[in-house]
Amino acid sequence: MASDRIEALKAAMAAELGKVDFVLGYARGFDPLHATPVTVRTEKDLAKLIFDPTCVQNLATSLYGLRGKRLGVVVKGCDSRSVIQLVQEGLWERENLVIFGLPCNGVLDLAKVRVKADITSVRSVVFEGEGPDGLENRTVRLLLPGGEKLLPLRDVLADKCLRCRYPNPLIHDHMIGEELEPQGAEDTYADVAAFEKLSTQERFDFWKRQMSRCIRCYACRNACPLCVCKHVCLADSREPHWLSAEATLQEKWLFQVMHALHLAGRCTECGECQRSCPMGIPILLLKRKMNKELKEIFGYEAGVSTEAVPPLHTFLMEEDKIKDRGLLW
Amino acid sequence: MQNSRQNPLRTVDLAAMRDEAFQAAVASESGQLLASCYQCGNCTAGCAYTHDYDIPVHQVMRLVQLGHRERALSCRSIWLCATCQACTTRCPNNIDVARVMDVLRHMARRAGHAPEPTVKTFTDGFLASVARHGRVFEAGLAAVFAIKSGKPLQDAGLGPAMLSRGKLAFLPHEPEGQGKAEVAAIFERFYARKKQGGGE
Amino acid sequence: MRIGVMVCHCGNNIAATVDVEAVAAAAREFPDVVFATDHMYACSDPGQKSIEQVITDMKLDGVVVASCSPRMHEATFRRAVERAGLNRYMFEMANIREHVAWISLDRRRNTEKATDLVRMAVEKLRHNRPLTAKSFDVQKRVLIVGGGVAGVQAALDCADGGLDVVLVERKQAIGGIMSKLDKTFPTIDCSVCVLGPKMVDVGQHPRITLHTLSEVEEVSGYVGNFEVTVRKKTPYVDWTKCTGCGACLEKCPSKKVPDSFNENVSFCTAINIPFPQAIPKRAAIDPAHCRQFTKGKCGVCQKVCPADAIDYTMQDEVVTEKVGAIIAATGLDLFDHTKCGEYGGGRYPDVITSLAYERMLSASGPTAGHIKRPSDGKEPKTVVFISCVGSRDRSLDRPYCSNFCCMYTAKQAILTRDHIPDSKAYVFYMDIRANGKGYEEFVRRAQEEYAVEYVRGRVAQVYPQAGPDGPQLLVRGADTLLGTQVEIAADLVVLAVGVEASKGAGSLAEKLRISYDHYGFFLEGHPKLKPVETNTAGVYLAGCCQAPKDIPSSVAQASAAAGKVLSLLSKDKLESDPQIAMVTGNRCIGCGKCERTCPFGAIRMREMRDGSQRAEVVETVCQGCGICSVTCPVRAIQLQHFTDSQLLAEVNALCRTWDETSE
Amino acid sequence: MSVPGNSSASPATPALTNPKRLAYYPGCSQSGTAAEYDISTRACCAELGLELVDVPDWTCCGSTPAHTVDHHLAGALAARNLRQAEATGCERMATPCPSCLAALRTAGHHLHQEAYRAEVEHLLGGPAPQESTAISVLQALVENIGPEAIATAVKKPLTGLRVAPYYGCIMNRPPELMAFDDPENPTAMDRILAACGATVVPYPFKTECCGAAFGMPRLDVMQRLSARLLAMAEECGADVVVVACPLCQMNLDLRRGQVNSAAKADYRMPVPYFTQLLGLALGLPESSLCLDKLVLDLRPALARAEERERKRAEESAAQNGAKPCKPGDASHKEDAPCA
């Protein structure tokens, strides 16, 4: 079944190759648990393509930097929302993009795998029980130097996959494979709500602890598909000089807060920021807090429609749920 | 100037009469902004009991506003209010007047006033019945009231009509489970609390 | 840079709770500050002179004044520094009065906060750049919205002053509430006799363009150059042909249309001229009741019209007017008396509103000036007036006083006795507000000469009851002076309904971009000193749209607004504010978010030679709100005088001190 | 968008997942002097498909007297029953008695204040519920069933019966607390009675107080107030005064002799509960409605209405005799000649 899907992807891509500069897809990385982005320019490159739960990267991240080209891109359900957001915000032209959509039932969180097994010299990985039959019977078989290890897939999936409601790309030119039923639970933002229950001091201490570990590598920013001012980012700007180069808690924290605020109403929770953080700081929590507010106040969710008008990108005299003055008629 | 203290004209010395603790207590126990009353009289206009009051309700509000504790707590009106909510419903200043009347009655009880003894007897009898049975035992209440109020025959005429229609139960209709004990416990704690508070 | 700082005492307003000398001393230590002092009244003539003097003496290139709100005196000080040769934007104001002195009595902390604010202002000033205003031509025309007495007065004053006037009225004829009144207090003048000639003048004035049955649909532009779209609803009658002869009214078969001019006490025809003195005296069809529209056939009016003016196919017309200033005079609506269930309004026919009663009193009204109660047409002998219906009532969310009900109630009580000499009038009141010229005397006349019985108290309930001569209404109230419940068997109950902002006032305010309060009344620029201005340049207020007021006050405010407009438009050119958004071209990525969020339509996208898009600010339209600046993902748009760098400098100045004090 | 000045409007009813199932709190009177209210309520609800789940082990809610003594005591007595009601798993709890309703809703309202809640929980000896779910049986019938559905279920319309609907003082007041119907001119009972085919007379004293619990302690007060209500009902030409409150019913019916003697009058109109009339219209047997428990017999009034209706039908038939009968004519009596 998996191989059918790759063949279908190759066939669809082959037909488009002449019309685009190149296609962004996934290839096997340095070991069986890692995938790596690959540019497919010729039919020869098609052989490198793979698609399985190791394809964690959001390839939409690379798009903004490649503006002006005509590209193809392989997207999972979650990645497609980033593409939608880019198109909606006028940051990419839809007509210059050929989208290969791959329904996806979840990708690995290698941090979770690492807890269960020493994977430094993993020899092979087999995903078993693939198909639209739900997560329950699916497993990951790892061949390790010390023998085989069988892990239930549910235990090692990324958190976002456990609450995924969009397994099927919401925007595509080619849908490769059968559409899947959402397996994720409704996202109630219970994690954020639980965090909000802590006292101000507890929350403050939590973030002080977390932010003190930030090394200002900006991996989070660079991995974000919607952080589009990379070349003029506030963090690097001297005019105005919002952030100094000092490695103080204040400066680190300010950067993360800016990052979160700039994504208010835009973030699709692809989780690339947190995945790419070498220090394992839970920065997605900040963005989820913003999204929770967005949902409660505006009933809005980013990256679902290219036609939607984001609440923070528009101007209304009166908002339904923001009562800054009484209105009569 | 000293002479004015004797007050031969019997004018009301507003400053001397003002009991600020009383004003504050009524405000906090009732949760109402008493200063917002502008004496329009709507409460009195709609009050079905004005006829029997010694002080009309808007003047009770005025006494509270001015902090005249004694007159407010010793009047009969606060015992005759039936909490029919006409005043609360129509107050243009959103004051829960009926609740203020309630609070004054609580205070009057604590201060030992009972200018309408039958009303107090009835209330006490009712609650005693609830405390004993968990529910009101109507026949028992009527009997107790008839004796204690000194009007044994007032409602005697109702007996036959009630009997023939099966409206008079001679035994209390008590709750089937823990209810009776739980209600008794509520009353016990209530009276214990009252003692703690050192009733006036 | 050489900066001077002046800290103002404002008499005792600031100096009482802020150590102004200490603030000045601290300021001397700030970077680039070469001079700092304090002054009793910085805004006074000597104060301004000393600022000018210091600029010259110390060769300053920037000044900070720590005093009151910029809303108060920013313009004053800008002019002062300009007189001394500085650019007016090389000036900053720190508000240490409203933001410090007036809100806390803690002298030590006040002084610290004032110092912080001055430090912020200095840091901001260090990042300021001179800005230059541009000038532009103005339209010497004025739009007046609303054709009641305020709108009529403003229109005549402006037109007589030489301006072209566009008067827009929602109803079919001008005149507003005043045209419905029988008499006016305290002189008992005939209302329409006073107003009528003014209405005629409006109709005939060569400088006044009148749009009735019309509403303002859109307003764009800015002071001096507004562009207003007006929708003229079709009357289905060609008013260039209609002579107002009234032949159609006589023949119209649909005669059971509630007559809104008569407060629905009587009926009119589907094609109608609301009242004999109507301006313009033209007929209009109400399609909701016209048989031609409801049933698809009739055509009677078309057949009888001698001028051939009826046209059932007419459509609304949309006209665009260019004006330099706007006066809002949208007037009032009455409180809906059916919300007061205890009075039985809407349930009992003989409980009516004061305006319905006014129509009944009027000789041109539905009863030809005879008082007849609606239920059976009988002449009432006992009339009870209830004051404050929908006024001074928090439970109805109408806590304000409607200003003139006390007076019209006295007038109506007097007129009741005039019309029916053997009648008796009662007035239930809470307080009598009669604070105009001759008003108190008028109320006393009602009580003394006309024996109107004033009962101090409110009414709790009105209900029907059989009387000796047929059904009556029992009014149950309180007499708080007696301290009892009282009741009166009345033949008619008149509710003195209060004033509400005109329905749709909120949406007009939004089109005009002016503020309005919780109740829909438009906000004046300053309650004391700018009572007819709004916070939007070029938009003025007249009449009840601002607050409930009686006829003389409305007329006075209308003339005041006209005066303001005449003075504004007496100049040939106006200066634009340079505090507007500016695009840094090479940063703009052309995503167009700013264009979508701009509430004023001040940004347009321009195609560059390479085919890419770039945002561009239309300088005269931009209001400097800054929304584009925060929307821009790459910070390519900056608001002049409030750039990121300037704001950041202020924030840093504040946070640095916070760091120091909190450690 | 909120409309100002419309504070009396009841908030939108929350969508109920099971509108046909309610917890039921009868209240003390309904197991004693007002048994017929309880019995007829149960009969009507059963007939209309409204399932009533008895609140287990319920106790007195505090009723009228508790709040006059202490607000916390009143709160604790009411809260205990709210807690018992939670055990039924129903979304709302209905009670026929307005006095109980007021006690239960008042408690729920004030439990939002922390200090009050703490004191009530102390007296209660345990946690109090968060909300009061109490509504009146009247509200349940109007909102969960609806006058339209009732009209279609009516088997024996009360045609010709002139009824004065008397709601009592606290069924809808104060509006912020009771959040149901209009506080000055309630119409819920009017709509139900109209659905039953009765003629509802415009009765101005719908919410005037009858003397409440003063029957015992201050009979004179209650006599004067109740007499006023009966005089007005008579002036309105009503055959019966319909009530929804056991205390009102007792004052107007059982104590009628006392009222009449004080007023030197001879008011004879019966005072049934609205559930009894509803039951009659639904075709329920008289025994299941306990009409015999009313002190003033209802039957003469019903007979008078029938007689009046018969005459009216005859007259209209005589008038229509000359004209041909039109279908859909105002007369819908089956025995009318044009049927």
Side-chain angles (χ1 to χ4, degrees):
Chain A
M1 184 123 181
S3 57
D4 290 355
R5 198 135 74 113
I6 284 297
E7 289 315 314
L9 176 63
K10 286 176 181 167
M13 218 178 273
E16 296 279 2
L17 275 181
K19 302 172 207 158
V20 295
D21 293 338
F22 58 83
V23 183
L24 285 166
Y26 297 101
R28 179 56 58 219
F30 62 88
D31 79 5
L33 272 173
H34 285 83
T36 188
V38 64
T39 54
V40 179
R41 293 171 192 277
T42 63
E43 299 231 1
K44 197 170 66 167
D45 299 331
L46 290 174
K48 299 177 192 164
L49 288 171
I50 62 159
F51 189 76
D52 63 25
T54 65
C55 298
V56 293
Q57 297 91 341
N58 180 355
L59 298 180
T61 296
S62 309
L63 286 178
Y64 185 73
L66 297 167
R67 268 182 12 140
K69 296 191 190 308
R70 189 171 154 72
L71 292 188
V73 65
V74 172
V75 297
K76 306 185 286 288
C78 48
D79 308 338
S80 76
R81 295 179 60 195
S82 303
V83 176
I84 286 177
Q85 199 55 31
L86 287 168
V87 171
Q88 182 209 63
E89 293 185 25
L91 300 172
W92 242 97
E93 279 136 16
R94 177 69 182 90
E95 54 272 26
N96 285 336
L97 204 56
V98 180
I99 302 166
F100 301 90
L102 284 131
C104 158
N105 247 344
V107 293
L108 294 180
D109 181 340
L110 283 185
K112 288 186 183 176
V113 181
R114 250 178 236 118
V115 175
K116 309 246 178 209
D118 176 11
I119 51 169
T120 37
S121 9
V122 63
R123 293 194 188 140
S124 81
V125 181
V126 185
F127 296 96
E128 292 170 345
E130 195 177 347
D133 332 321
L135 279 175
E136 292 319 315
N137 303 319
R138 296 177 61 194
T139 51
V140 190
R141 187 181 295 276
L142 300 175
L143 185 58
L144 302 167
E148 274 196 351
K149 178 117 189 163
L150 202 61
L151 299 172
L153 185 61
R154 178 180 283 280
D155 293 356
V156 290
L157 278 188
D159 285 343
K160 67 169 177 176
C161 305
L162 297 175
R163 53 179 178 247
C164 172
R165 283 169 301 119
Y166 303 104
N168 305 309
L170 296 172
I171 185 172
H172 57 79
D173 297 295
H174 301 275
M175 184 69 108
I176 314 294
E178 278 178 47
E179 299 207 3
L180 300 168
E181 283 298 311
Q183 302 292 335
E186 177 70 28
D187 189 359
T188 56
Y189 286 94
D191 50 337
V192 184
F195 188 70
E196 284 167 352
K197 286 224 174 70
L198 300 179
S199 71
T200 315
Q201 191 58 47
E202 285 171 312
R203 280 178 282 152
F204 193 77
D205 292 343
F206 173 84
W207 285 118
K208 261 200 326 212
R209 226 165 35 241
Q210 295 294 345
M211 291 304 173
S212 65
R213 296 162 50 224
C214 172
I215 55 173
R216 289 182 77 176
C217 67
Y218 298 142
C220 49
R221 177 191 76 188
N222 298 343
C224 176
L226 294 168
C227 256
V228 292
C229 20
K230 279 155 190 149
H231 62 302
V232 285
C233 176
L234 285 169
D236 306 328
S237 156
R238 289 192 186 281
E239 174 65 32
H241 202 180
W242 282 102
L243 285 180
S244 79
E246 287 172 280
T248 62
L249 178 64
Q250 240 175 342
E251 304 287 314
K252 295 170 183 178
W253 202 342
L254 181 58
F255 170 74
Q256 290 298 353
V257 169
M258 277 179 184
H259 187 185
L261 283 172
H262 282 200
L263 283 160
R266 308 172 64 222
C267 174
T268 62
E269 296 183 29
C270 71
E272 289 293 87
C273 49
Q274 186 160 320
R275 188 181 65 81
S276 63
C277 177
M279 306 305 289
I281 301 173
I283 36 186
L284 188 59
L285 184 59
L286 287 175
K287 282 130 203 171
R288 279 175 57 74
K289 165 67 181 167
M290 295 302 241
N291 279 354
K292 178 168 176 269
E293 297 293 322
L294 258 290
K295 209 169 166 183
E296 283 167 6
I297 299 174
F298 301 107
Y300 180 79
E301 188 178 34
V304 181
S305 154
T306 55
E307 304 304 318
V309 180
L312 298 184
H313 285 181
T314 186
F315 179 83
L316 291 179
M317 272 296 193
E318 293 294 334
E319 289 285 356
D320 280 348
K321 294 194 183 163
I322 305 175
K323 278 278 158 261
D324 50 357
R325 70 172 158 196
L327 182 73
L328 293 180
W329 301 286
Chain B
M1 290 310 270
Q2 290 294 317
N3 282 350
S4 70
R5 300 182 78 189
Q6 291 165 1
N7 200 352
L9 298 179
R10 288 205 212 168
T11 51
V12 174
D13 182 338
L14 290 175
M17 288 291 281
R18 184 181 306 118
D19 182 338
E20 286 178 8
F22 169 67
Q23 289 172 317
V26 177
S28 80
E29 286 184 37
S30 69
Q32 303 303 309
L33 179 61
L34 300 166
S36 67
C37 172
Y38 56 30
Q39 286 290 305
C40 68
N42 206 344
C43 44
T44 290
C47 177
Y49 294 83
T50 298
H51 180 279
D52 300 288
Y53 279 7
D54 51 349
I55 302 178
V57 53
H58 76 275
Q59 289 184 357
V60 173
M61 292 298 292
R62 183 66 183 149
L63 290 173
V64 173
Q65 227 175 21
L66 294 175
H68 294 191
R69 180 176 185 276
E70 274 316 301
R71 282 195 69 198
L73 294 190
S74 61
C75 74
R76 290 193 290 116
S77 303
I78 54 176
W79 294 87
L80 292 171
C81 166
T83 326
C84 80
Q85 305 283 8
C87 47
T88 297
T89 301
R90 292 180 185 139
C91 176
N93 292 309
N94 291 327
I95 303 172
D96 190 342
V97 184
R99 201 160 177 88
V100 174
M101 295 291 274
D102 255 3
V103 164
L104 293 176
R105 190 166 21 202
H106 302 166
M107 292 177 163
R109 269 179 172 267
R110 293 201 294 262
H113 293 287
E116 284 287 332
T118 51
V119 174
K120 184 164 185 293
T121 307
F122 172 76
T123 307
D124 292 347
F126 187 103
L127 290 178
S129 177
V130 174
R132 186 170 315 125
H133 305 293
R135 294 179 191 166
V136 184
F137 173 37
E138 290 169 322
L141 169 61
V144 169
F145 178 79
I147 298 161
K148 289 201 175 174
S149 66
K151 293 184 190 171
L153 296 177
Q154 179 184 279
D155 284 348
L158 303 180
M162 293 179 81
L163 270 179
S164 66
R165 286 167 181 79
K167 286 199 164 200
L168 208 51
F170 288 107
L171 287 175
H173 189 277
E174 294 183 348
E176 58 272 20
Q178 292 303 305
K180 186 175 156 181
E182 287 182 25
V183 168
I186 290 175
F187 276 93
E188 259 167 49
R189 287 187 208 103
F190 172 65
Y191 288 118
R193 192 37 62 114
K194 243 176 77 171
K195 235 177 240 164
Q196 257 176 34
E200 290 155 74
Chain C
M1 196 171 177
R2 297 174 62 81
I3 293 173
V5 176
M6 180 178 282
V7 187
C8 179
H9 295 232
C10 197
N12 250 346
N13 273 309
I14 295 170
T17 59
V18 176
D19 184 346
V20 286
E21 285 93 355
V23 175
R28 277 179 214 115
E29 306 303 317
F30 298 160
D32 290 351
V33 173
V34 295
F35 175 83
T37 186
D38 55 282
H39 199 283
M40 183 56 91
Y41 287 108
C43 62
S44 66
D45 197 43
Q48 294 188 46
K49 284 267 162 50
S50 88
I51 291 172
E52 290 167 44
Q53 194 62 48
V54 173
I55 292 172
T56 322
D57 293 352
M58 301 290 294
K59 300 191 168 41
L60 299 181
D61 38 20
V63 171
V64 169
V65 173
S67 57
C68 51
S69 160
R71 282 215 170 275
M72 196 77 194
H73 275 312
E74 188 175 61
T76 314
F77 293 124
R78 278 182 174 172
R79 280 193 297 270
V81 300
E82 219 163 25
R83 281 197 297 274
L86 289 185
N87 180 280
R88 70 167 85 151
Y89 294 96
M90 297 309 285
F91 163 78
E92 284 297 326
M93 207 161 166
N95 182 354
I96 62 167
R97 193 179 72 176
E98 284 86 342
H99 286 179
V100 183
W102 280 358
I103 54 173
S104 162
L105 295 173
D106 186 331
R107 193 173 170 83
R108 184 184 65 80
R109 297 178 65 190
N110 276 2
T111 306
E112 272 171 23
K113 185 176 174 188
T115 312
D116 282 349
L117 294 183
V118 172
R119 189 201 316 265
M120 288 168 71
V122 168
E123 283 303 320
K124 162 101 199 298
L125 181 58
R126 291 177 72 207
H127 290 76
N128 279 9
R129 299 284 170 270
L131 301 174
T132 325
K134 292 181 180 156
S135 65
F136 57 89
D137 293 332
V138 297
Q139 293 282 343
K140 301 223 166 193
R141 302 179 84 219
V142 57
L143 170 82
I144 296 168
V145 189
V149 63
V152 163
Q153 183 67 41
L156 290 174
D157 288 350
C158 288
D160 289 345
L163 292 176
D164 286 334
V165 175
V166 181
L167 181 57
V168 174
E169 165 58 45
R170 180 156 61 178
K171 301 247 165 64
Q172 187 179 342
I174 58 172
I177 302 267
M178 191 177 170
S179 66
K180 297 187 178 195
L181 302 181
D182 176 35
K183 301 285 195 304
T184 57
F185 57 79
T187 48
I188 312 280
D189 279 326
C190 163
S191 181
V192 86
C193 313
V194 188
L195 180 64
K198 282 188 186 285
M199 289 160 54
V200 173
D201 287 352
V202 167
Q204 293 176 346
H205 206 294
R207 285 195 181 277
I208 298 179
T209 311
L210 185 56
H211 297 304
T212 60
L213 266 185
S214 299
E215 285 188 51
V216 170
E217 215 162 58
E218 236 181 283
V219 180
S220 61
Y222 47 95
V223 56
N225 287 285
F226 291 107
E227 196 169 302
V228 185
T229 319
V230 177
R231 173 169 295 268
K232 300 185 71 168
K233 301 227 181 75
T234 175
Y236 301 102
V237 177
D238 185 342
W239 281 2
T240 58
K241 295 181 186 165
C242 176
T243 60
C245 70
C248 49
L249 277 66
E250 280 168 31
K251 298 287 187 239
C252 175
S254 178
K255 296 186 192 303
K256 285 283 176 191
V257 182
D259 187 349
S260 64
F261 185 79
N262 280 333
E263 293 296 298
N264 304 332
V265 210
S266 65
F267 298 107
C268 61
T269 45
I271 186 165
N272 191 32
I273 299 172
F275 57 106
Q277 302 89 337
I279 299 288
K281 196 171 182 185
R282 298 283 183 269
I285 292 175
D286 174 359
H289 294 95
C290 169
R291 293 188 187 185
Q292 184 68 31
F293 289 92
T294 56
K295 301 219 168 93
K297 57 177 180 187
C298 177
V300 171
C301 50
Q302 199 168 43
K303 281 177 214 125
V304 302
C305 178
D308 195 21
I310 315 285
D311 178 359
Y312 302 119
T313 64
M314 263 175 89
Q315 298 291 320
D316 288 1
E317 194 189 337
V318 175
V319 296
T320 306
E321 299 280 6
K322 291 192 168 170
V323 296
I326 299 173
I327 298 175
T330 46
L332 61 97
D333 270 329
L334 293 177
F335 178 77
D336 174 7
H337 68 302
T338 62
K339 284 180 189 163
C340 293
E342 63 269 42
Y343 302 141
R347 262 187 299 151
Y348 307 136
D350 295 338
V351 177
I352 63 173
T353 68
S354 46
L355 195 53
Y357 193 58
E358 194 77 37
R359 289 311 298 150
M360 224 181 256
L361 292 168
S362 168
S364 66
T367 54
H370 299 291
I371 305 174
K372 294 176 179 173
R373 61 183 202 172
S375 63
D376 52 11
K378 270 194 196 160
E379 190 175 71
K381 297 293 179 205
T382 308
V383 181
V384 170
F385 295 87
I386 302 177
S387 305
C388 295
V389 177
S391 301
R392 303 179 65 194
D393 195 325
R394 289 183 195 174
S395 69
L396 296 167
D397 196 29
R398 291 287 173 270
Y400 53 84
C401 169
S402 291
N403 187 302
F404 50 70
C405 323
C406 286
M407 294 310 299
Y408 75 60
T409 299
K411 174 195 72 182
Q412 293 187 341
I414 288 176
L415 292 176
T416 304
R417 274 294 292 271
D418 262 351
H419 282 66
I420 311 169
D422 61 339
S423 67
K424 179 82 184 159
Y426 296 86
V427 176
F428 280 92
Y429 73 101
M430 293 199 290
D431 298 287
I432 298 173
R433 303 203 164 156
N435 52 3
K437 186 175 175 181
Y439 286 12
E440 171 63 15
E441 297 89 324
F442 183 71
V443 174
R444 296 299 295 271
R445 258 179 75 200
Q447 295 168 334
E448 294 163 5
E449 286 176 38
Y450 291 86
V452 176
E453 200 151 294
Y454 272 72
V455 184
R456 201 283 170 189
R458 242 174 135 115
V459 169
Q461 210 185 2
V462 175
Y463 56 88
Q465 180 185 270
D469 310 309
Q472 284 191 305
L473 291 162
L474 198 90
V475 180
R476 176 179 296 264
D479 184 326
T480 58
L481 304 180
L482 277 182
T484 57
Q485 236 172 24
V486 292
E487 56 182 40
I488 300 160
D491 299 312
L492 184 68
V493 174
V494 179
L495 305 180
V497 286
V499 173
E500 294 189 342
S502 171
K503 281 181 190 58
S507 80
L508 179 69
E510 278 161 22
K511 285 171 193 163
L512 296 173
R513 296 185 196 101
I514 58 178
S515 309
Y516 55 104
D517 68 14
H518 173 69
Y519 308 101
F521 293 113
F522 299 157
L523 284 187
E524 61 282 351
H526 186 281
K528 302 285 176 210
L529 300 177
K530 289 184 173 179
V532 297
E533 292 98 323
T534 65
N535 282 333
T536 298
V539 180
Y540 303 90
L541 305 177
C544 287
C545 63
Q546 182 235 346
K549 51 176 77 71
D550 61 7
I551 294 167
S553 306
S554 293
V555 170
Q557 197 184 17
S559 290
K564 285 281 171 190
V565 170
L566 285 165
S567 101
L568 174 79
L569 299 184
S570 65
K571 305 179 191 84
D572 292 324
K573 280 181 181 293
L574 289 176
E575 275 192 350
S576 67
D577 189 339
Q579 300 175 99
I580 54 166
M582 209 162 86
V583 181
T584 312
N586 56 5
R587 272 198 172 169
C588 176
I589 56 168
C591 68
K593 283 177 189 167
C594 49
E595 187 190 18
R596 272 170 278 163
T597 51
C598 177
F600 302 100
I603 295 178
R604 53 180 173 227
M605 302 304 290
R606 199 153 64 107
E607 192 166 307
M608 308 304 285
R609 248 173 280 166
D610 65 353
S612 64
Q613 300 276 322
R614 290 282 181 275
E616 188 179 72
V617 177
V618 186
E619 288 179 18
T620 46
V621 182
C622 175
Q623 301 286 307
C625 71
I627 287 179
C628 54
S629 175
V630 294
T631 309
C632 178
V634 293
R635 294 174 351 283
I637 297 196
Q638 293 285 309
L639 181 59
Q640 298 307 294
H641 208 57
F642 298 94
T643 63
D644 282 4
S645 296
Q646 288 169 327
L647 298 183
L648 187 58
E650 290 188 276
V651 172
N652 280 339
L654 180 66
C655 293
R656 207 160 290 141
T657 61
W658 180 73
D659 272 359
E660 287 157 11
T661 51
S662 64
E663 271 160 23
Chain D
M1 239 171 264
S2 73
V3 181
N6 208 3
S7 55
S8 65
S10 55
T13 316
L16 300 170
T17 53
N18 190 355
K20 302 281 164 144
R21 189 168 180 273
L22 284 159
Y24 180 65
Y25 177 83
C28 303
S29 293
Q30 280 61 240
S31 54
T33 45
E36 65 268 41
Y37 195 11
D38 177 55
I39 292 164
S40 57
T41 293
R42 290 177 191 269
C44 290
C45 289
E47 179 68 18
L48 291 167
L50 201 57
E51 186 192 348
L52 299 180
V53 183
D54 275 51
V55 172
D57 196 23
W58 60 269
T59 49
C60 175
C61 63
S63 187
T64 334
H67 72 80
T68 70
V69 172
D70 187 89
H71 284 149
H72 299 125
L73 174 65
L77 291 172
R80 182 187 175 272
N81 291 296
L82 294 175
R83 199 179 61 192
Q84 294 299 106
E86 278 186 345
T88 63
C90 299
E91 288 157 284
R92 307 215 275 190
M93 163 168 72
T95 177
C97 172
S99 193
C100 301
L101 179 66
L104 296 166
R105 286 192 76 98
T106 306
H109 179 70
H110 290 288
L111 280 172
H112 290 296
Q113 299 159 14
E114 247 169 69
Y116 181 84
R117 164 173 289 274
E119 192 58 28
V120 165
E121 290 187 339
H122 165 76
L123 293 181
L124 196 57
Q130 293 301 325
E131 282 302 328
S132 170
T133 58
I135 57 167
S136 62
V137 165
L138 177 62
Q139 183 174 358
L141 286 172
V142 168
E143 287 181 357
N144 296 26
I145 302 290
E148 298 77 19
I150 290 175
T152 57
V154 163
K155 297 201 179 77
K156 289 201 216 155
L158 306 170
T159 319
L161 186 68
R162 295 173 59 81
V163 296
Y166 174 53
Y167 293 75
C169 49
I170 48 175
M171 180 69 100
N172 314 288
R173 302 194 306 193
E176 295 76 21
L177 180 68
M178 304 313 268
F180 173 60
D181 213 345
D182 187 288
E184 294 293 348
N185 182 31
T187 57
M189 197 150 60
D190 299 31
R191 282 178 276 155
I192 287 185
L193 292 168
C196 292
T199 306
V200 180
V201 304
Y203 184 58
F205 286 173
K206 281 176 175 178
T207 61
E208 288 288 283
C209 188
C210 66
F214 282 108
M216 262 194 236
R218 280 293 300 267
L219 182 60
D220 57 324
V221 174
M222 169 263 154
Q223 281 167 325
R224 188 168 40 252
L225 294 177
S226 283
R228 186 171 162 248
L229 297 178
L230 292 167
M232 179 56 89
E234 200 153 274
E235 194 178 315
C236 293
D239 296 323
V240 299
V241 178
V242 191
V243 294
C245 168
L247 211 47
C248 302
Q249 206 274 344
M250 183 194 274
N251 286 344
L252 296 175
D253 185 47
L254 179 63
R255 294 182 180 276
R256 177 69 59 87
Q258 295 173 334
V259 171
N260 276 349
S261 71
K264 300 192 174 51
D266 187 21
Y267 301 120
R268 288 173 181 235
M269 67 187 65
V271 188
Y273 290 102
F274 80 99
T275 46
Q276 291 178 302
L277 290 188
L278 172 61
L280 282 178
L282 293 173
L284 301 176
E286 286 189 15
S287 57
S288 74
L289 302 170
C290 296
L291 293 187
D292 54 344
K293 281 187 186 283
L294 297 174
V295 174
L296 288 140
D297 195 351
L298 180 60
R299 278 164 300 192
L302 294 174
R304 199 153 6 116
E306 219 164 279
E307 173 64 18
R308 191 187 295 139
E309 183 55 20
R310 197 180 52 73
K311 271 197 193 138
R312 199 193 62 79
E314 273 171 15
E315 274 167 27
S316 74
Q319 271 181 6
N320 286 351
K323 293 181 234 159
C325 248
K326 276 183 262 172
D329 196 86
S331 162
H332 55 275
K333 286 290 280 184
E334 283 167 7
D335 55 344
C338 57

